[in-house]
Each structure stands twice: as structure tokens, then as C-alpha cells.
Amino acid sequence: MALGDNIKRLREERHLTQQQLADKLYVSRQTVCRWENGSRCPDLIMAKKLAMELNISLDELISDEDVDQFTKEGFPFHSDKVKERKALEERQKRVMEFIQLVGAIFLLISVFCRIQLEMRVPIWCFILALCLEAAAFIVRYRIAKKLNQLY
């Protein structure tokens, strides 16, 4: 069975044991073993998670052909949409981390001013934080909109 062979080959290429792969997918080692020996197959959702964990496309995971051969011949299995979606998701993650960082810095400044200096937060600090947060939310909204268009 091509699927089981592919799972085993890809797992071994990434130097993962059955237990390590099972832990990443929140299944038992026996489940991974059954997939590899062909007595069971992962359901569609688990196959997608498996492909993502192994950093390949679902087509490559289930294919019984040499995918590299087809890719070279002009049958790309790694679609540009998949690559673009991953890049957008990574960008969205960085924007969210920025939003959290700005919020944390503003909170620290607020607490410091209130406790140490016994004064209110300067208005310029509030306006700056508000502008940064608004810009970050706009960028995140646009990225989310692009992601929705790709689905």
C-alpha cells in the first residue's frame, strides 16, 4: 500500500520514531504502526494533519508514484496557493505577536507611571500605542481576508 510506505519513508527521512510522530499527532504508537503496515488508514482530517506535520502536500502523502518525477515534468503537487497560504499564515502570526508586544509594553509603561511616578500615563504614550495597535489590526484584517480568498 502506497500510503503506508509513504508514511514510513517520510517519517524515517525526518528521523522520527513511530512514538515521536504519534505524540505530535496525539495518537498512539500502535495507530502509526497500523498506518505504516497498511492494516488501517488515517481519516481525511488526520491525513491532512499528518501531511502538515511531515511538511508535504496531501497529494504527495497518498501518491503511489514518484512525486519528484511528476513535479519535474510539469505536474506540480506543491501548489502555489499552499505556499502562499503558509506565508500568509506566518505573516499573520508575526502581526499577532507584534500586537501582543505593543500591548505588553503599554501595560508596563502604565504600571510604572502609576506606581513609581504616581502619575497618569502621558497622552502621547496612549495615542502612540493606539495607533500601533490600530495599524497592526488593519494589517491582520487584510491578511485574514487574503487567507479567506485562498480557501
Side-chain angles (χ1 to χ4, degrees), residues 68-110:
D68 292 335
Q69 173 189 354
F70 287 117
T71 303
K72 291 174 187 169
E73 294 175 4
F75 300 102
F77 280 98
H78 290 287
S79 140
D80 291 335
K81 276 189 169 183
V82 171
K83 291 177 183 175
E84 185 178 353
R85 186 172 54 228
K86 284 184 179 181
L88 285 171
E89 287 171 348
E90 183 61 33
R91 197 173 305 149
Q92 186 177 32
K93 181 181 172 186
R94 287 194 308 262
V95 168
M96 289 305 296
E97 289 170 353
F98 175 77
I99 291 171
Q100 289 176 337
L101 179 66
V102 169
I105 290 171
F106 181 73
L107 181 65
L108 287 173
I109 290 172
S110 299

Side-chain angles (χ1 to χ4, degrees), residues 1-7 9-10 56-71 77:
M1 177 177 202
L3 178 61
D5 294 337
N6 287 343
I7 292 171
R9 178 180 51 81
L10 292 164
I56 58 169
S57 69
L58 192 55
D59 290 333
E60 189 174 350
L61 179 66
I62 63 175
S63 176
D64 60 350
E65 303 289 333
D66 183 12
V67 176
D68 292 335
Q69 173 189 354
F70 287 117
T71 303
F77 280 98

